[in-house]
Amino acid sequence: LNGTGRPGQGPKAGPRLAAKGFTYVGSGNAPTFSNARSEVEIFHDSDADQGRTLAKALGLPATAVRRSVYNQSVAKFIVILGSDFKG
């Protein structure tokens, strides 16, 4: 999700994810555009290692991975790209 309002963030991230074996399913806007830091949201603690691999593929630190407080079934991970993302 685009968390900065800069156009084209998702399409810049997709090829990086595909190169590491992740399936990019699309993009949209985050609820706000004031995200200074990117986040990789995981929904199960057992996905933390894979979440860190995903973060690394995007040039993000392992600390970008966090356990989401939301339940969902659309994707295994949701990435909110903040202004720290260098696409």
Coordinates of all heavy atoms in Angstrom, one line a residue:
L1 N 0.8 -1.2 0.0 CA 0.0 0.0 0.0 C 0.9 1.2 0.0 O 1.9 1.3 0.7 CB -0.9 0.0 1.2 CG -1.9 -1.2 1.4 CD1 -2.6 -1.1 2.7 CD2 -2.8 -1.2 0.2
N2 N 0.5 2.2 -0.7 CA 1.2 3.5 -0.8 C 0.9 4.3 0.4 O -0.2 4.8 0.6 CB 0.8 4.2 -2.1 CG 1.6 5.5 -2.3 OD1 2.2 6.1 -1.4 ND2 1.6 5.9 -3.5
G3 N 1.9 4.5 1.3 CA 1.7 5.3 2.5 C 2.3 6.6 2.4 O 2.5 7.3 3.5
T4 N 2.7 7.1 1.2 CA 3.3 8.4 1.1 C 2.6 9.4 0.2 O 2.8 10.6 0.2 CB 4.8 8.3 0.5 OG1 4.7 7.8 -0.8 CG2 5.6 7.4 1.4
G5 N 1.8 8.8 -0.7 CA 1.1 9.7 -1.7 C 2.0 9.9 -3.0 O 1.5 10.4 -3.9
R6 N 3.2 9.4 -3.0 CA 4.0 9.5 -4.2 C 3.5 8.4 -5.2 O 3.4 7.2 -4.8 CB 5.5 9.2 -3.9 CG 6.2 10.3 -3.1 CD 7.7 10.1 -3.0 NE 8.1 8.8 -2.6 CZ 8.7 8.5 -1.5 NH1 8.9 9.4 -0.6 NH2 9.1 7.2 -1.2
P7 N 3.2 8.8 -6.4 CA 2.6 7.8 -7.3 C 3.6 6.8 -7.7 O 4.8 7.0 -7.7 CB 2.3 8.7 -8.6 CG 2.3 10.1 -8.1 CD 3.2 10.2 -6.9
G8 N 3.1 5.5 -8.0 CA 3.9 4.5 -8.5 C 4.7 3.7 -7.5 O 5.6 2.9 -7.9
Q9 N 4.5 3.8 -6.2 CA 5.3 3.0 -5.2 C 5.1 1.5 -5.4 O 6.0 0.8 -5.3 CB 4.9 3.5 -3.8 CG 5.3 4.9 -3.5 CD 6.8 5.1 -3.6 OE1 7.3 5.4 -4.6 NE2 7.4 5.1 -2.5
G10 N 3.8 1.1 -5.5 CA 3.6 -0.4 -5.6 C 4.3 -1.0 -6.8 O 4.9 -2.0 -6.7
P11 N 4.1 -0.4 -8.0 CA 4.8 -1.0 -9.1 C 6.3 -1.0 -9.0 O 7.0 -1.9 -9.6 CB 4.4 -0.1 -10.3 CG 3.0 0.4 -9.9 CD 3.2 0.6 -8.4
K12 N 6.9 -0.2 -8.2 CA 8.3 -0.2 -8.0 C 8.7 -1.4 -7.0 O 9.8 -2.0 -7.2 CB 8.8 1.1 -7.4 CG 8.7 2.2 -8.3 CD 9.2 3.5 -7.6 CE 9.0 4.7 -8.5 NZ 9.3 6.0 -7.8
A13 N 7.8 -1.7 -6.1 CA 8.1 -2.8 -5.2 C 7.8 -4.2 -5.8 O 8.5 -5.1 -5.4 CB 7.2 -2.6 -3.9
G14 N 6.8 -4.3 -6.6 CA 6.4 -5.6 -7.2 C 7.6 -6.4 -7.8 O 7.7 -7.6 -7.4
P15 N 8.4 -5.9 -8.7 CA 9.5 -6.7 -9.3 C 10.5 -7.2 -8.2 O 11.0 -8.2 -8.3 CB 10.1 -5.7 -10.3 CG 9.0 -4.8 -10.6 CD 8.2 -4.6 -9.4
R16 N 10.7 -6.4 -7.2 CA 11.7 -6.8 -6.2 C 11.1 -8.0 -5.4 O 11.9 -8.9 -5.1 CB 11.9 -5.6 -5.2 CG 12.7 -4.5 -5.7 CD 12.9 -3.5 -4.6 NE 13.6 -2.3 -5.1 CZ 13.9 -1.3 -4.3 NH1 13.7 -1.4 -3.0 NH2 14.5 -0.2 -4.8
L17 N 9.8 -8.0 -5.2 CA 9.2 -9.1 -4.4 C 9.2 -10.3 -5.3 O 9.5 -11.4 -4.8 CB 7.8 -8.7 -4.0 CG 7.7 -7.5 -3.1 CD1 6.2 -7.2 -2.8 CD2 8.4 -7.9 -1.8
A18 N 8.9 -10.2 -6.6 CA 8.9 -11.3 -7.5 C 10.2 -12.0 -7.6 O 10.3 -13.2 -7.7 CB 8.3 -10.9 -8.9
A19 N 11.3 -11.2 -7.6 CA 12.6 -11.7 -7.7 C 13.0 -12.6 -6.5 O 13.9 -13.4 -6.6 CB 13.6 -10.5 -7.8
K20 N 12.3 -12.4 -5.4 CA 12.6 -13.2 -4.2 C 11.5 -14.3 -4.0 O 11.4 -14.9 -2.9 CB 12.7 -12.3 -3.0 CG 13.8 -11.4 -3.0 CD 15.1 -12.2 -2.9 CE 16.3 -11.2 -2.9 NZ 17.6 -11.9 -2.9
G21 N 10.7 -14.5 -5.0 CA 9.7 -15.6 -4.9 C 8.4 -15.2 -4.4 O 7.5 -16.1 -4.2
F22 N 8.2 -14.0 -4.1 CA 6.9 -13.5 -3.6 C 5.9 -13.2 -4.7 O 6.4 -12.8 -5.8 CB 7.0 -12.3 -2.7 CG 7.7 -12.6 -1.4 CD1 9.1 -12.3 -1.2 CD2 7.1 -13.1 -0.3 CE1 9.8 -12.6 -0.1 CE2 7.7 -13.3 0.9 CZ 9.1 -13.1 1.0
T23 N 4.7 -13.4 -4.5 CA 3.7 -13.0 -5.5 C 3.1 -11.7 -5.2 O 2.5 -11.5 -4.1 CB 2.5 -14.1 -5.6 OG1 3.1 -15.3 -5.9 CG2 1.5 -13.7 -6.6
Y24 N 3.2 -10.7 -6.1 CA 2.7 -9.4 -5.9 C 1.3 -9.4 -6.4 O 1.1 -9.7 -7.6 CB 3.6 -8.4 -6.6 CG 3.1 -7.0 -6.7 CD1 3.1 -6.2 -5.6 CD2 2.7 -6.5 -7.9 CE1 2.7 -4.9 -5.7 CE2 2.2 -5.2 -8.0 CZ 2.2 -4.4 -6.9 OH 1.8 -3.1 -7.0
V25 N 0.3 -9.0 -5.6 CA -1.1 -9.1 -6.0 C -1.7 -7.8 -6.3 O -2.9 -7.7 -6.6 CB -1.9 -9.9 -5.0 CG1 -1.5 -11.3 -5.0 CG2 -1.9 -9.3 -3.7
G26 N -1.0 -6.7 -6.2 CA -1.5 -5.4 -6.5 C -1.3 -4.4 -5.4 O -0.6 -4.6 -4.4
S27 N -1.7 -3.2 -5.7 CA -1.5 -2.1 -4.8 C -2.7 -1.2 -4.6 O -3.7 -1.3 -5.3 CB -0.3 -1.3 -5.3 OG -0.6 -0.6 -6.5
G28 N -2.6 -0.4 -3.7 CA -3.6 0.6 -3.4 C -3.0 1.6 -2.4 O -1.8 1.7 -2.2
N29 N -3.9 2.5 -1.9 CA -3.4 3.5 -1.0 C -3.6 3.1 0.5 O -4.6 2.4 0.8 CB -4.1 4.8 -1.2 CG -3.7 5.4 -2.5 OD1 -2.6 5.3 -2.9 ND2 -4.7 6.1 -3.2
A30 N -2.7 3.4 1.3 CA -2.8 3.2 2.8 C -3.9 4.2 3.3 O -4.2 5.2 2.6 CB -1.5 3.4 3.4
P31 N -4.4 4.0 4.5 CA -5.3 4.9 5.1 C -4.8 6.3 5.2 O -5.6 7.3 5.1 CB -5.6 4.3 6.4 CG -5.3 2.9 6.3 CD -4.2 2.8 5.4
T32 N -3.5 6.5 5.3 CA -2.9 7.9 5.4 C -1.7 7.9 4.5 O -1.1 6.9 4.2 CB -2.5 8.3 6.8 OG1 -1.4 7.5 7.2 CG2 -3.7 8.1 7.8
F33 N -1.3 9.1 4.2 CA -0.1 9.3 3.4 C 1.1 9.9 4.2 O 2.0 10.4 3.7 CB -0.3 10.3 2.2 CG -1.1 9.7 1.1 CD1 -2.1 10.4 0.4 CD2 -1.0 8.3 0.7 CE1 -2.8 9.9 -0.6 CE2 -1.7 7.8 -0.3 CZ -2.7 8.6 -1.0
S34 N 0.9 9.8 5.5 CA 1.9 10.4 6.4 C 2.8 9.3 7.1 O 3.3 9.6 8.2 CB 1.2 11.2 7.5 OG 0.3 10.4 8.3
N35 N 3.1 8.2 6.4 CA 3.9 7.1 7.0 C 5.4 7.4 6.7 O 5.8 7.3 5.6 CB 3.4 5.8 6.3 CG 2.0 5.5 6.7 OD1 1.7 5.0 7.8 ND2 1.1 5.7 5.8
A36 N 6.1 7.7 7.7 CA 7.5 7.9 7.6 C 8.3 6.6 7.4 O 9.3 6.6 6.7 CB 8.0 8.7 8.8
R37 N 7.8 5.6 8.1 CA 8.4 4.3 8.0 C 7.5 3.2 7.4 O 6.3 3.2 7.6 CB 8.7 3.8 9.4 CG 9.8 4.6 10.1 CD 10.1 3.9 11.4 NE 11.4 4.4 11.9 CZ 11.9 4.2 13.0 NH1 11.2 3.5 13.9 NH2 13.1 4.7 13.4
S38 N 8.2 2.4 6.6 CA 7.5 1.3 5.9 C 7.2 0.2 6.9 O 8.0 0.0 7.9 CB 8.3 0.8 4.8 OG 8.5 1.7 3.8
E39 N 6.2 -0.6 6.7 CA 5.8 -1.7 7.6 C 5.5 -2.9 6.7 O 4.8 -2.8 5.7 CB 4.6 -1.4 8.4 CG 4.8 -0.2 9.4 CD 3.6 0.1 10.2 OE1 2.5 -0.5 10.0 OE2 3.7 0.9 11.1
V40 N 5.9 -4.0 7.2 CA 5.5 -5.3 6.6 C 4.7 -6.0 7.7 O 5.2 -6.4 8.8 CB 6.7 -6.2 6.3 CG1 6.3 -7.6 5.9 CG2 7.7 -5.6 5.3
E41 N 3.4 -6.0 7.5 CA 2.4 -6.6 8.4 C 2.3 -8.1 8.2 O 2.1 -8.5 7.1 CB 1.1 -5.9 8.3 CG 1.1 -4.5 8.7 CD -0.3 -3.9 8.8 OE1 -1.3 -4.6 8.6 OE2 -0.4 -2.7 9.2
I42 N 2.5 -8.8 9.3 CA 2.3 -10.3 9.3 C 1.0 -10.5 10.2 O 0.7 -9.8 11.1 CB 3.5 -11.1 9.8 CG1 3.8 -10.7 11.3 CG2 4.7 -10.8 8.9 CD1 4.9 -11.6 11.9
F43 N 0.4 -11.7 9.9 CA -0.8 -12.0 10.6 C -0.7 -13.2 11.5 O -1.6 -13.5 12.3 CB -2.0 -12.2 9.6 CG -2.2 -10.9 8.8 CD1 -1.6 -10.7 7.6 CD2 -3.0 -9.9 9.3 CE1 -1.7 -9.5 6.9 CE2 -3.2 -8.7 8.7 CZ -2.6 -8.5 7.5
H44 N 0.4 -13.9 11.4 CA 0.7 -15.1 12.2 C 2.2 -15.0 12.6 O 3.1 -14.7 11.8 CB 0.5 -16.4 11.5 CG -0.9 -16.5 11.0 ND1 -2.0 -16.8 11.8 CD2 -1.4 -16.3 9.7 CE1 -3.1 -16.8 11.1 NE2 -2.8 -16.5 9.8
D45 N 2.5 -15.2 13.9 CA 3.9 -15.2 14.3 C 4.8 -16.1 13.5 O 6.0 -15.8 13.4 CB 4.0 -15.5 15.8 CG 3.3 -14.4 16.7 OD1 3.3 -13.2 16.2 OD2 2.9 -14.7 17.8
S46 N 4.3 -17.2 13.1 CA 5.0 -18.2 12.3 C 5.5 -17.6 11.0 O 6.4 -18.2 10.3 CB 4.2 -19.5 12.1 OG 3.1 -19.2 11.3
D47 N 5.0 -16.5 10.5 CA 5.4 -15.9 9.3 C 6.5 -14.8 9.4 O 6.9 -14.1 8.5 CB 4.2 -15.2 8.6 CG 3.2 -16.3 8.1 OD1 3.7 -17.4 7.7 OD2 2.0 -16.0 8.1
A48 N 7.0 -14.6 10.6 CA 8.0 -13.6 10.9 C 9.3 -13.7 10.1 O 9.8 -12.7 9.5 CB 8.3 -13.5 12.4
D49 N 9.8 -14.9 10.0 CA 11.1 -15.1 9.2 C 10.8 -14.7 7.7 O 11.7 -14.0 7.1 CB 11.6 -16.5 9.3 CG 12.2 -16.8 10.6 OD1 12.6 -15.8 11.3 OD2 12.4 -18.0 10.9
Q50 N 9.8 -15.2 7.2 CA 9.4 -14.8 5.8 C 9.2 -13.3 5.6 O 9.5 -12.7 4.6 CB 8.3 -15.7 5.3 CG 8.2 -15.8 3.8 CD 7.1 -16.7 3.3 OE1 6.2 -17.1 4.1 NE2 7.2 -17.2 2.1
G51 N 8.6 -12.7 6.6 CA 8.3 -11.3 6.6 C 9.6 -10.5 6.6 O 9.8 -9.5 5.9
R52 N 10.6 -11.0 7.3 CA 11.9 -10.3 7.3 C 12.6 -10.5 5.9 O 13.3 -9.6 5.5 CB 12.8 -10.9 8.4 CG 12.4 -10.4 9.8 CD 13.4 -10.7 10.9 NE 13.3 -12.1 11.3 CZ 12.4 -12.6 12.2 NH1 11.6 -11.8 12.8 NH2 12.4 -13.9 12.4
T53 N 12.4 -11.6 5.3 CA 13.0 -11.8 3.9 C 12.3 -10.9 3.0 O 13.0 -10.3 2.1 CB 12.7 -13.3 3.5 OG1 13.4 -14.2 4.4 CG2 13.2 -13.5 2.1
L54 N 11.0 -10.7 3.1 CA 10.3 -9.7 2.3 C 10.8 -8.3 2.5 O 11.0 -7.6 1.6 CB 8.8 -9.8 2.6 CG 7.8 -9.1 1.7 CD1 6.5 -9.8 1.6 CD2 7.6 -7.7 2.2
A55 N 11.0 -8.0 3.8 CA 11.5 -6.6 4.1 C 12.8 -6.4 3.5 O 13.1 -5.3 2.9 CB 11.5 -6.4 5.6
K56 N 13.7 -7.4 3.6 CA 15.0 -7.3 3.0 C 15.0 -7.1 1.5 O 15.7 -6.3 0.9 CB 15.9 -8.5 3.4 CG 17.3 -8.4 2.9 CD 18.1 -9.6 3.4 CE 19.5 -9.5 2.9 NZ 20.3 -10.7 3.3
A57 N 14.0 -7.8 0.8 CA 13.9 -7.7 -0.6 C 13.5 -6.2 -1.0 O 13.9 -5.8 -2.1 CB 12.8 -8.6 -1.1
L58 N 12.9 -5.5 -0.1 CA 12.5 -4.1 -0.4 C 13.5 -3.1 0.1 O 13.3 -1.9 0.1 CB 11.1 -3.9 0.2 CG 10.0 -4.6 -0.4 CD1 8.7 -4.4 0.3 CD2 9.8 -4.3 -1.9
G59 N 14.6 -3.6 0.7 CA 15.6 -2.7 1.3 C 15.2 -2.1 2.6 O 15.7 -1.1 3.0
L60 N 14.3 -2.8 3.3 CA 13.8 -2.4 4.6 C 14.5 -3.1 5.7 O 14.8 -4.3 5.5 CB 12.3 -2.5 4.7 CG 11.5 -1.9 3.6 CD1 10.0 -2.3 3.7 CD2 11.6 -0.4 3.7
P61 N 14.6 -2.5 6.9 CA 15.2 -3.3 8.0 C 14.2 -4.3 8.6 O 13.0 -4.3 8.4 CB 15.4 -2.2 9.1 CG 14.4 -1.2 8.8 CD 14.2 -1.2 7.3
A62 N 14.8 -5.3 9.3 CA 14.0 -6.3 9.9 C 13.0 -5.8 10.9 O 11.9 -6.3 11.1 CB 14.9 -7.4 10.6
T63 N 13.3 -4.6 11.4 CA 12.4 -4.0 12.4 C 11.1 -3.4 11.7 O 10.2 -3.0 12.4 CB 13.1 -2.8 13.1 OG1 13.6 -1.9 12.1 CG2 14.2 -3.3 14.0
A64 N 11.0 -3.5 10.4 CA 9.8 -3.1 9.7 C 8.7 -4.1 9.8 O 7.6 -3.8 9.6 CB 10.1 -2.8 8.2
V65 N 9.1 -5.3 10.2 CA 8.1 -6.4 10.3 C 7.4 -6.2 11.7 O 8.0 -6.1 12.7 CB 8.8 -7.8 10.2 CG1 7.7 -8.9 10.4 CG2 9.5 -7.9 8.9
R66 N 6.0 -6.3 11.6 CA 5.3 -6.2 12.8 C 4.0 -7.1 12.7 O 3.5 -7.3 11.6 CB 4.9 -4.8 13.1 CG 3.8 -4.2 12.3 CD 3.5 -2.7 12.7 NE 2.3 -2.2 12.0 CZ 1.1 -2.4 12.5 NH1 0.8 -2.9 13.6 NH2 0.1 -1.9 11.8
R67 N 3.6 -7.5 13.8 CA 2.3 -8.3 13.9 C 1.2 -7.4 13.8 O 1.0 -6.4 14.5 CB 2.3 -9.1 15.3 CG 1.1 -9.9 15.5 CD 1.2 -11.2 14.7 NE 0.4 -12.3 15.2 CZ -0.9 -12.4 15.0 NH1 -1.6 -11.5 14.4 NH2 -1.5 -13.5 15.5
S68 N 0.3 -7.6 12.8 CA -0.9 -6.8 12.6 C -1.9 -7.0 13.7 O -2.0 -8.2 14.2 CB -1.5 -7.1 11.2 OG -2.6 -6.3 11.0
V69 N -2.6 -6.0 14.0 CA -3.7 -6.2 14.9 C -5.0 -6.5 14.2 O -6.0 -6.8 14.9 CB -3.9 -4.9 15.8 CG1 -2.7 -4.6 16.6 CG2 -4.2 -3.7 14.9
Y70 N -5.0 -6.6 12.9 CA -6.2 -6.9 12.1 C -6.2 -8.3 11.7 O -5.1 -8.9 11.5 CB -6.3 -6.0 10.9 CG -6.2 -4.5 11.3 CD1 -5.1 -3.7 11.1 CD2 -7.4 -3.9 11.8 CE1 -5.1 -2.4 11.4 CE2 -7.3 -2.6 12.2 CZ -6.2 -1.8 12.0 OH -6.2 -0.5 12.3
N71 N -7.3 -8.9 11.5 CA -7.5 -10.2 10.9 C -7.9 -10.0 9.4 O -8.7 -9.1 9.1 CB -8.6 -11.0 11.6 CG -8.1 -11.4 13.0 OD1 -7.0 -11.8 13.2 ND2 -9.0 -11.3 13.9
Q72 N -7.4 -10.8 8.6 CA -7.7 -10.7 7.2 C -7.4 -12.0 6.5 O -6.7 -12.8 7.0 CB -7.0 -9.5 6.5 CG -5.5 -9.5 6.5 CD -5.0 -10.3 5.3 OE1 -5.6 -10.2 4.2 NE2 -3.9 -11.1 5.5
S73 N -7.9 -12.1 5.2 CA -7.7 -13.3 4.5 C -7.3 -13.1 3.0 O -7.3 -13.9 2.2 CB -8.9 -14.2 4.6 OG -10.0 -13.6 4.0
V74 N -6.9 -11.8 2.7 CA -6.7 -11.4 1.4 C -5.2 -11.8 1.0 O -5.0 -12.3 -0.1 CB -6.9 -9.9 1.2 CG1 -6.5 -9.5 -0.2 CG2 -8.4 -9.6 1.4
A75 N -4.3 -11.6 1.8 CA -2.9 -11.8 1.5 C -2.2 -12.3 2.8 O -2.6 -12.0 3.9 CB -2.2 -10.5 1.0
K76 N -1.0 -12.9 2.6 CA -0.2 -13.4 3.7 C 0.5 -12.2 4.4 O 0.7 -12.2 5.6 CB 0.8 -14.4 3.3 CG 1.5 -15.2 4.3 CD 2.3 -16.3 3.8 CE 2.8 -17.2 4.8 NZ 3.6 -18.4 4.3
F77 N 0.9 -11.2 3.6 CA 1.6 -10.1 4.1 C 0.9 -8.8 3.5 O 0.5 -8.9 2.3 CB 3.0 -10.1 3.7 CG 3.8 -11.3 4.1 CD1 4.0 -12.3 3.2 CD2 4.2 -11.4 5.4 CE1 4.7 -13.4 3.6 CE2 4.9 -12.6 5.8 CZ 5.1 -13.6 4.9
I78 N 1.0 -7.7 4.2 CA 0.6 -6.5 3.6 C 1.7 -5.5 3.9 O 2.2 -5.4 5.1 CB -0.7 -5.9 4.2 CG1 -1.9 -6.8 3.8 CG2 -1.0 -4.5 3.8 CD1 -3.2 -6.4 4.3
V79 N 2.2 -4.8 2.9 CA 3.3 -3.9 3.0 C 2.7 -2.5 2.9 O 2.0 -2.2 1.9 CB 4.4 -4.1 1.9 CG1 5.5 -3.1 2.1 CG2 4.9 -5.5 2.0
I80 N 3.1 -1.6 3.8 CA 2.7 -0.2 3.7 C 4.1 0.5 3.5 O 5.0 0.5 4.3 CB 2.1 0.3 5.0 CG1 0.8 -0.4 5.2 CG2 1.8 1.8 4.9 CD1 0.1 -0.1 6.6
L81 N 4.2 1.1 2.3 CA 5.4 1.8 1.9 C 5.4 3.2 2.5 O 4.5 4.0 2.1 CB 5.6 1.8 0.4 CG 5.7 0.4 -0.2 CD1 5.7 0.5 -1.7 CD2 7.0 -0.3 0.3
G82 N 6.4 3.5 3.3 CA 6.6 4.8 3.9 C 7.6 5.6 3.1 O 8.2 5.1 2.1
S83 N 7.9 6.8 3.6 CA 8.9 7.7 2.9 C 10.3 7.1 3.0 O 11.2 7.6 2.3 CB 8.8 9.1 3.5 OG 9.0 9.1 4.9
D84 N 10.5 6.1 3.8 CA 11.9 5.5 3.9 C 12.1 4.5 2.7 O 13.2 4.1 2.5 CB 12.1 4.8 5.2 CG 11.1 3.7 5.5 OD1 10.1 3.6 4.9 OD2 11.5 2.8 6.4
F85 N 11.1 4.2 2.0 CA 11.2 3.2 0.9 C 11.9 3.9 -0.3 O 11.4 5.0 -0.8 CB 9.9 2.7 0.4 CG 9.9 1.8 -0.8 CD1 10.6 0.6 -0.8 CD2 9.3 2.2 -2.0 CE1 10.7 -0.2 -1.9 CE2 9.4 1.4 -3.1 CZ 10.1 0.2 -3.1
K86 N 13.0 3.4 -0.7 CA 13.7 3.9 -1.9 C 13.4 3.1 -3.1 O 14.1 2.1 -3.4 CB 15.2 3.9 -1.6 CG 15.6 4.6 -0.3 CD 15.2 6.1 -0.3 CE 15.6 6.7 1.0 NZ 14.8 7.7 1.4
G87 N 12.4 3.4 -3.8 CA 11.9 2.6 -4.9 C 12.6 2.9 -6.2 O 13.5 3.6 -6.4

